Amino acid sequence: MKKKILTGDRPTGKLHLGHYIGSLQNRVKLQSVYDQYILVADLQALTDHFDHPAQVTQNIIEVTKDYLSVGIDPNQTTIVVQSQIPEIAALTIYYLNLVTLGQLHRNPTVKYEIQQKGYDEAIPAGFFCYPVSQAADITLFQAELVPVGDDQLPMIEQTNAIVRRFNRLYHTNVLKECQAVLSKTSRLVGIDGQSKSSKSLGNAIAISDPPEVIKQKVFQMYTDPNHIKASDPGRVEGNVVFAYLDAFHNDQEVVADLKAHYRRGGLGDVVLKNILNDSLQLLLAPIREKRNNLDAKVIKEILHQGTEKAAHLAKETMKMVRDAIGIQSF
Ligand code: TRP
């Protein structure tokens, strides 16, 4: 039997190049080797978008289109809508007993998000606890491998801590620890150079952005503020254009030459940005074309079938969990 793999995305917007390089490319490779599940995490999206449920629902379709357009094959990968699997919520409730507020407070990704979102003293409890619900996602589908960006490592740690606690407490081994699968570039900087590429910060290039938007975003990219004239020597470190060339140019020898030229001076930002724009357009044109040919009815059918298949597995795991705890039906 193939090992199970699970990843997920919050459908809060279209997926971007950070997702592509950090996770989607990996998923396309892994789907033929493993039994892969992808969770469209609409429940998790609601933890910080509870005031925009319609946006979340619409984005389930958009995110699924992103998956299919980059090469996720619904015959190899089971795509699941999180809110349609009630066992996830039930399992989360059991797990909440095994986690302390201290652990949740220490989660660096959640800490960062709380700061970004300005929640401060009014942190929604659902949001604060989403790492626990993510542990339910992962274990409900008995996933052994989880391909994610490095910001998700604290969630994997939290999951494994719950698994160990559960198994020890209930003298069982029904839950299995999981392992993260990181890609080469697991964190892509935003076009502003400030932080990671994120749809909520508006500093990302979406996989489905039209050609002119891609170009516009490339030309907004932060480079080296001291590189004023083309003849000036420029800095490559911290230069967003080079971060993207490293991630997306298909000839890294060319990128090495560009870096040397930029460092010694004589290579202007406009020329450099045009080179990046060309390679991104080349990468994204076939993906966009595939996306434009996807039919909404087909998407819904794929989601329906994937969720139905996942529901069987969810029931199976839930029975094992309830038996392990000793919860009876009356
Ligand atoms: N937290 C992930 C993100 O923000 C999304 C997610 C939800 C996920 N459930 C998951 C990732 C399970 C991996 C496994 O991108």
Side-chain angles (χ1 to χ4, degrees), residues 6-10 39 41 44 130 134 137-138 146 148 152:
L6 173 95
T7 50
D9 300 284
R10 297 179 196 168
L39 196 63
Q44 193 176 109
Y130 88 74
Q134 191 159 330
D137 297 341
I138 295 169
V146 187
V148 280
Q152 296 296 305

Side-chain angles (χ1 to χ4, degrees), residues 43-250:
L43 284 181
Q44 193 176 109
L46 282 176
T47 65
D48 66 340
H49 283 67
F50 43 83
D51 47 348
H52 298 291
Q55 187 189 331
V56 171
T57 302
Q58 174 55 34
N59 279 315
I60 294 174
I61 304 290
E62 298 298 335
V63 164
T64 307
K65 283 186 177 176
D66 287 333
Y67 294 153
L68 301 177
S69 67
V70 300
I72 299 288
D73 171 3
N75 295 314
Q76 293 186 304
T77 297
T78 309
I79 306 177
V80 188
V81 181
Q82 190 185 31
S83 61
Q84 304 310 303
I85 306 288
E87 286 81 4
I88 292 174
L91 193 53
T92 303
I93 294 286
Y94 296 136
Y95 285 174
L96 280 168
N97 299 327
L98 311 182
V99 175
T100 65
L101 287 182
Q103 270 177 330
L104 293 172
H105 268 296
R106 282 191 297 275
N107 186 307
T109 299
V110 174
K111 235 192 236 179
Y112 172 78
E113 287 174 301
I114 287 171
Q115 190 200 356
Q116 288 286 321
K117 294 173 199 297
Y119 284 154
D120 296 321
E121 290 309 304
I123 310 168
F127 180 79
F128 193 59
C129 298
Y130 88 74
V132 182
S133 130
Q134 191 159 330
D137 297 341
I138 295 169
T139 51
L140 190 65
F141 295 108
Q142 304 174 17
E144 291 183 62
L145 300 172
V146 187
V148 280
D150 67 356
D151 62 315
Q152 296 296 305
L153 291 177
M155 313 310 161
I156 307 292
E157 260 175 57
Q158 177 67 81
T159 302
N160 288 337
I162 291 172
V163 166
R164 288 191 295 268
R165 184 105 204 269
F166 183 100
N167 286 344
R168 201 167 345 109
L169 199 58
Y170 301 122
H171 308 291
T172 179
N173 59 2
V174 293
L175 299 182
K176 300 274 176 280
E177 290 194 42
C178 65
Q179 217 185 333
V181 185
L182 289 176
S183 60
K184 195 171 77 222
T185 310
S186 62
R187 183 180 292 235
L188 185 69
V189 69
I191 60 171
D192 54 2
Q194 292 298 324
S195 49
K196 82 163 186 166
S197 205
S198 143
K199 42 199 168 201
S200 57
L201 298 177
N203 64 357
I205 297 178
I207 290 164
S208 55
D209 271 343
E212 60 283 4
V213 174
I214 296 170
K215 183 159 189 192
Q216 188 197 335
K217 287 180 178 170
V218 167
F219 276 79
Q220 274 173 26
M221 278 180 181
Y222 180 87
T223 56
D224 170 4
N226 297 318
H227 184 245
I228 299 175
K229 294 194 296 279
S231 56
D232 293 339
R235 267 180 72 87
V236 166
E237 292 71 29
N239 188 318
V240 176
V241 182
F242 280 108
Y244 279 66
L245 285 169
D246 281 340
F248 299 106
H249 198 285
N250 56 18

Side-chain angles (χ1 to χ4, degrees), residues 271-298:
V271 174
L272 188 67
K273 285 179 169 176
N274 273 320
I275 294 170
L276 175 61
N277 180 51
D278 288 347
S279 55
L280 291 182
Q281 301 289 357
L282 204 64
L283 171 75
L284 294 174
I287 295 175
R288 185 181 313 111
E289 192 185 323
K290 201 160 171 197
R291 199 179 198 283
N292 289 340
N293 290 327
L294 291 169
D295 178 76
K297 242 175 78 190
V298 175

